[in-house]
Structures are given as C-alpha cells and as structure tokens.
Amino acid sequence: MSHNFHASSLREYDIRGIVGRTLGVDDARAIGRCFATLLRRAGGTRVVVSRDGRLSSPELEVALVEGLTLSGVDVVRIGLAPTPMLYHAEAVLEVDGGIQITGSHNPAEYNGFKMVMQRRPFFGADIQRIGAMAAAGEWDDGQGSVSDHDFTDTYVGRLIAGYAGGSYRIGWDAGNGAAGPVIERLVQLLPGEHHLLFTNVDGHFPNHHPDPAEVENLVDLQRLVAEKQLDFGLAFDGDGDRIGAVDGQGRVLWGDQLLAILAEPALKETPGATIIADVKASQALFDRIAELGGTPLMWKTGHSPMKTKMHETGAPLAAEMSGHIFFGGDEYGFDDAPYGAVRLIRAIHLSGRSLSELRDAMPEMVNTPELRFRVSEERKFAVIDEVLARLAAADVNTTDGARVTTADGWWLLRASNTQDVLTARAEARDAAGLARLLAAVDAQLAASGVARG
C-alpha cells in the first residue's frame, strides 16, 4: 500500500492544504505511518498529539493517531491546544516527538500538521522524506497504544512561573483560536484588570480572521482598548504561536518593535548575547540591539530556520515581523505567543515606562507593510536569482532573498517558502526615500517580467 500527497501540500515548514481538496484523512493517516516509522528508526517510541479548533481537526486527529499506532508508536493525546503547548509537552513529557494538527493563521478551510522530532524542528528535507516514503509505502507495522493527558494546567503554570511583571489593564483577543482557553486561565492568575475578546474556540472564526499580522484583524482590540482606556492590548493567531500588540493609543507594534522591547531585559540578564531577527525587520531593531550591547543577527524568515539558528548560536531571543517570538535558554527555543505576552508585560514593567512611552521612544521610520504578490512556484525563486545576478555590485544581503541597502534605507525582495508569492518590503527615513526604494524594487521586477501590482 502507498499514498501520494497533493503536490501543493508538502510545504517547507509543515504539511498543509484545503480540507476536502488538497488534504484529508488519508493524508493524516499516511503522515502518522511515516512519522512513526522515522521516529522508531531514530530510537523513539512515543509521540504527543494535539489539535487546534478547526472544524476538520478532530477527524484528522483520529486518522493521524491511527497511522501512528499502526506503525508501532505510542500516542499521548493532549486534546485541544495551541501549538506552543504541544511544543512544551514534547519537551517536558517523556516523549520523542510531537505533531500539532493546525491551519495556523490560514483561512478556516485550511488545515495541516506541524511536527517536531527529538526536540528539533521537523521541516524541509524531513517533510519531503515523508512524501517519498508514503509514495513508496515505506512504513513499518506495529501496534502502539493511546493515552490521554490533560496538560493545560502544567502549561499555564509554566507561563506564570516566577511572574514579576506588575499590574496592568489589558485587552486580550484570542480570535476564536486555540489559545482562548489558555488565555482564560492565564488572566485568572495575573494581577491587574483583564478584558477578553473571542476566547471561545470556533473553527468558523466568526469575528475576524485569526492573524494579528494584518491590521484589519486588530480593529476589535483597538476599539476595546479605546473604549475601556486600557494600558494596551494583545492578540493571537489561530494556533497561538504568533502575537500582536497595540498600545494605549491603539498603535500597532509589529514583531520587530516587540523584540526591541524584549531585548533590553534579556541583554541585561545575558550581556552581549546574540539576538536574532528575520530579514524583514527594521534596521532600527538591529541598531537598538547593538546599542544595548547585544550581537544582532539577521536570519531567514520562517519558524524552523529561526529555531535552528537559535540552537546553533545559543541566542536567548529571536523574532519575526509576523509575530513569531522565540525564547531560548530554559524555554526550549520555540515560538510561544502566550509566554511572549507574559514576557512582554514583564519587559514593560522593568522599563518603568508605559507601552505607549516605549513606542514613542522608537525611531520614526517610513516603511511599507509586507507587500505580497503572486508569482508561480516554478518562477518565484528564479526571479530572485535573476535579481541577485543584476545586483552583484550592490550592497546586498543574501541571507534570504535580496535585502539591498542604499543611501535612502533598504528594500527587500524574497520568495515565500510556503506560498506561490514574492514578498517585498522597504524602509526609509522619509517618504521621498521610500518612493525611490520602491521604484528600485519595481525596476528589478520589471527586468524579470513581473509586476508588483
């Protein structure tokens, strides 16, 4: 017996698709069989499994667990959970791997699988290996067991352990995603006054799309902060591994700005440490890390490359513009938005200033959001290669695509690893400089026969 996945479902960082069209229960079963086989060959025997609140997640979980046990792995189910709770359970329970069923921040009809094996991200070549094994029917037979474990209190206890963040009036928007129940328990343990939005888990996402990286999804939180005159607000994506924030004036703080705040106490505790941010981050962030005595490192976008680089460098902290914030040291090096919320509250408290004051103190840069435009899977990486060839004499960072520094500022052009899109971003000191940077982007795209609009 063998199984072929839809060509679009085997992504760089996860396996993901539209349920009923490009992803289904047969895929889930095959993932279980292949993952279990790889785990057993690596000496492992136990896997923890959890799911988000999407309508399709329960049936995918049943099939996944069936596949895992049919290939001889014991499964510990922890039920409905945000992805960081799965990562945490994989790290502290006596298991050898973990699989989260989640569509993350994608629309409701999507679902997928994020995996970790023996404390390391499972991505790239690992995922392609699953595809090849399934096509060949290369999986072991066996009979594993299934047990259930309520891990929520343990996880929330870890979030709040040693809390010393002061008392604030905070709004929380869980977006009807899997983090909702965790946030409800967490705020019961925090001092201060807390106002909750959309913590009931609902796979229809009836209030707004669960992606705090998009401004329109923060409108409800901004309104709550304004109406209640709160100190600030925090938001989470569909599986709780990305965080968004607005200050008391309703201004959005992006991932690089949150990292700038978190870096100050981190570098006091670990002077000179490496702090990592992705290539989309503001130059103001890298300058701030250096100013604080840290070692800034620009790295590839994507949660798996970030985790791997943190492990290599021993960095205590990393972040992406999208709101993935990663915590090293005793926190295992994964992205955890509820824990990020607790750490942000603490950092604000230690600063002696409000979040609005911290935002006021940041350099005012003129920049674009992430600009995304569709280019075919076959063409997107070739376009980047062509751009880099034309930029051979320029000041260009090739860590992830092309990040070009000029007298006006910088612009970025990169290919998404998860979608058939190119992304661009630019940052300058003034509007005229930004216009010149965007003109340079458009000229490079035009030379490769691509239009940004």
Side-chain angles (χ1 to χ4, degrees), residues 25-64:
V25 293
D26 291 339
D27 299 295
R29 190 177 298 106
I31 291 166
R33 298 217 66 169
C34 296
F35 189 89
T37 299
L38 288 171
L39 190 70
R40 288 180 65 185
R41 293 176 184 177
T45 61
R46 299 181 77 214
V47 175
V48 60
V49 169
S50 59
R51 66 180 188 277
D52 72 8
R54 290 167 187 264
L55 304 179
S56 58
S57 292
E59 65 177 1
L60 293 177
E61 180 186 39
V62 169
L64 174 68

Side-chain angles (χ1 to χ4, degrees), residues 21 72 125 181 183 299 342 349 359 382 384 425 446:
R21 287 176 52 190
I183 298 305
W299 196 237
V342 173
H349 174 68
R359 173 64 182 81
I384 299 301
R425 190 166 190 255

Side-chain angles (χ1 to χ4, degrees), residues 166-178:
S167 178
Y168 295 93
R169 302 177 67 246
I170 307 172
W172 304 74
D173 183 350
N176 300 112

